[in-house]
Amino acid sequence: MSLSGVVGQAGGQLTLGGLSLDASGARVLVDGEEATSQALQPGVVLSGSGERSADRMRLREVEVQYRVRGVVDAVDVAQGSLEVLGLKVQVNAMTYLYEENPDDTYTRLTLADLQPGDYVKVAGIPQDDDTIVATRIERKPIAPTDPAYSRVSLRVRVRDLNTSAFTFSYGLKTYTVNYASALVQGTLREGAMVEVKGAQSGQTIQASKVRVYGMTSPGTKLELSGPLANLDETAKTFRLMEYTVNYAGARVKGTLREGAWVKVEGSLSNGVLMAYEVEVKYSHSGSGPYTGEIEGPLSAVDTAALTLQVGNQTFWADANTLIKWNDAQGQFSDLRVGDWVEVKFDTGRANSAGQAYAVKIEVKRYAATPSRPVELEGTLTHFDAAARTFQVNGVQVSVTPSTRYEVYDKLVTAEAFFGADRTGARVEVKGFLNSSGLEASKVEVKKK
């Protein structure tokens, strides 16, 4: 079957539409170029083919598709958005933000960590107004002096096409694409979805290649997953992954609402996906972006007051807080002391007690099992240089001779790390749980 959707994650396993992904025998492309299964990461958008069984999706050939690669023009933390190469990118609780490290690992970021001039890759869902609802943003450490800094790619709709001047615009219309010297595949027309590759020169994209997307063949069986938009309950339609979905004859599991994450199965007819099953995976995408995150075991939960505590930090929640449980929606009442959770929070929406608002709570109860890989993120306390131990969110952390250390994105030795008092530092720790706490494989000190 053909498929298109946003890759999720549950229990350390990649998923698509709630099914585990098996990419062991798949051909993987990234924006048309050969890649490995390492390119499949939480939040990327893929399109291709696969075979579905009761509990997994076995990929055959898929392409990871980024909407834009290029330089950040502006960041608006208050509005939860940024502009990248003339495209508005909206960030919410479901957006994964990462720094791509030289060793092919990733460090988590928040929107506040990004700034104009950063080079990023953005995956997400395009809206009718050309805004991208971001599902994954990766910052790449490319210096402006590097030739790669000017290389860009876009997946956009053509606006203001001028066939005489060989130009068109897109998105916010602050950039112009010049395709006079480009290899053009397909016929350009106003509103057509195109892939553009080229180089940035000021406010102009000098295109080397422009490819027009073709329509999927009628009758194709298709499975989509992601956030819906433009819900019309009268016409029984919505938009998902660039398709109009008609659900008039579908079996609908859950309640449809604007912004809900759904899985859709159907077949194409006259450019419309005629759905026969629609399943609501998440009823909403949270209520805006986050300014920080913390990971560790829950030390306290108050289901009446809707508050929770990780380490010594307390957060408040409400009906708009997204509770994620093994790639499905959960309830606040499901939370238990000792559950391993990741909390994305917004300090700008603190309550009268000074507690930050929990935008998203992802439960990772599996991680509390010894020998399972886990991550901790929070403030470092109980620093003991002699014993080479410390705590994060109440979890005792020990190290080994093979533990790696980074301070502000630079590798340092164990001696350098423990040679300075790190108390109060914001850290991310990766490792394995044991009977006494967490044995770290990597410790990273991050900028506050």
Side-chain angles (χ1 to χ4, degrees):
M1 66 188 307
S2 296
L3 54 90
S4 182
V6 182
V7 175
Q9 188 174 43
Q13 172 68 46
L14 295 178
T15 62
L16 186 67
L19 299 176
S20 296
L21 282 184
D22 178 359
S24 57
R27 182 190 181 202
V28 179
L29 305 174
V30 176
D31 292 335
E33 299 181 0
E34 294 286 344
T36 68
S37 58
Q38 177 66 22
L40 301 176
Q41 297 289 336
V44 300
V45 177
L46 58 78
S47 180
S49 61
E51 300 170 353
R52 190 188 64 193
S53 62
D55 61 351
R56 69 172 181 167
M57 178 69 74
R58 185 174 183 178
L59 303 180
R60 298 183 65 183
E61 181 172 329
V62 292
E63 181 180 21
V64 175
Q65 300 173 336
Y66 288 94
R67 288 288 157 186
V68 57
R69 298 176 186 232
V71 177
V72 174
D73 299 321
V75 179
D76 190 332
V77 176
Q79 295 298 317
S81 66
L82 62 158
E83 294 176 17
V84 182
L85 217 63
L87 288 168
K88 184 176 180 181
V89 178
Q90 196 68 46
V91 175
N92 60 31
M94 296 291 279
T95 307
Y96 292 89
L97 290 103
Y98 287 100
E99 172 92 12
E100 184 179 340
N101 300 317
D103 61 356
D104 293 330
T105 62
Y106 295 95
T107 299
R108 288 179 289 189
L109 302 175
T110 68
L111 184 60
D113 294 316
L114 299 179
Q115 57 186 346
D118 286 344
Y119 192 97
V120 297
K121 300 191 300 185
V122 179
I125 312 300
Q127 307 299 292
D128 286 348
D129 64 356
D130 291 344
T131 295
I132 300 170
V133 176
T135 53
R136 184 180 177 94
I137 300 175
E138 298 173 16
R139 182 171 66 186
K140 293 178 65 67
I142 301 177
T145 53
D146 190 320
Y149 189 78
S150 63
R151 289 201 289 268
V152 300
S153 65
L154 304 157
R155 291 176 184 267
V156 294
R157 290 199 178 276
V158 173
R159 309 297 184 192
D160 299 335
L161 176 63
N162 187 328
T163 56
S164 299
F166 300 101
T167 62
F168 60 85
S169 189
Y170 61 88
L172 299 171
K173 299 184 179 181
T174 53
Y175 283 76
T176 299
V177 176
N178 185 313
Y179 64 93
S181 301
L183 170 65
V184 179
Q185 298 176 323
T187 302
L188 286 174
R189 66 184 187 281
E190 188 71 19
M193 179 64 73
V194 297
E195 178 186 40
V196 179
K197 293 187 177 182
Q200 177 187 358
S201 178
Q203 299 299 111
T204 300
I205 306 300
Q206 299 291 344
S208 58
K209 180 180 178 181
V210 178
R211 178 168 65 97
V212 182
Y213 285 99
M215 294 296 294
T216 305
S217 301
T220 298
K221 184 180 179 183
L222 188 60
E223 180 169 306
L224 306 179
S225 59
L228 67 82
N230 299 343
L231 177 63
D232 187 331
E233 295 181 295
T234 301
K236 302 293 184 181
T237 60
F238 55 81
R239 293 282 292 174
L240 176 60
M241 305 295 295
E242 300 171 15
Y243 291 90
T244 295
V245 177
N246 184 310
Y247 65 93
R251 180 175 62 168
V252 178
K253 299 179 181 179
T255 302
L256 295 177
R257 56 181 285 188
E258 192 71 19
W261 282 62
V262 296
K263 181 174 75 171
V264 178
E265 297 177 41
S267 59
L268 286 173
S269 176
N270 297 320
V272 175
L273 182 64
M274 305 302 293
Y276 49 79
E277 182 164 299
V278 179
E279 180 181 358
V280 177
K281 304 297 293 184
Y282 304 103
S283 62
H284 60 89
S285 300
S287 60
Y290 52 94
T291 59
E293 56 188 324
I294 187 171
E295 184 167 342
L298 281 173
S299 51
V301 180
D302 188 330
T303 55
L306 294 182
T307 61
L308 67 155
Q309 185 174 326
V310 180
N312 59 357
Q313 290 186 256
T314 301
F315 308 92
W316 71 278
D318 61 13
N320 293 315
T321 299
L322 180 62
I323 312 293
K324 186 178 179 184
W325 188 293
N326 284 335
D327 209 22
Q329 189 164 355
Q331 304 296 323
F332 195 91
S333 57
D334 297 327
L335 302 178
R336 299 288 185 271
V337 171
D339 284 347
W340 199 278
V341 298
E342 177 187 271
V343 180
K344 297 184 186 298
F345 58 87
D346 183 2
T347 54
R349 286 181 275 177
N351 59 14
S352 58
Q355 300 162 347
Y357 172 67
V359 177
K360 175 184 174 185
I361 305 168
E362 182 170 356
V363 182
K364 299 180 177 181
R365 180 172 287 173
Y366 72 91
T369 304
S371 79
R372 296 299 296 267
V374 296
E375 295 184 17
L376 275 173
E377 183 164 356
T379 303
L380 189 153
T381 61
H382 299 79
F383 185 76
D384 188 332
R388 295 197 171 185
T389 60
F390 54 87
Q391 290 186 14
V392 180
N393 303 332
V395 178
Q396 185 77 3
V397 178
S398 60
V399 299
T400 71
S402 61
T403 301
R404 295 182 59 190
Y405 305 87
E406 286 187 16
V407 176
Y408 306 146
D409 299 326
K410 293 184 179 180
L411 285 172
V412 300
T413 63
E415 288 71 22
F417 179 84
F418 286 103
D421 187 357
R422 305 293 178 180
T423 300
R426 175 189 171 200
V427 295
E428 181 177 317
V429 182
K430 297 179 180 180
F432 296 84
L433 287 176
N434 55 35
S435 58
S436 59
L438 185 147
E439 185 178 278
S441 57
K442 181 178 180 182
V443 181
E444 180 176 356
V445 177
K446 305 172 71 173
K447 296 179 181 179
K448 292 186 177 181

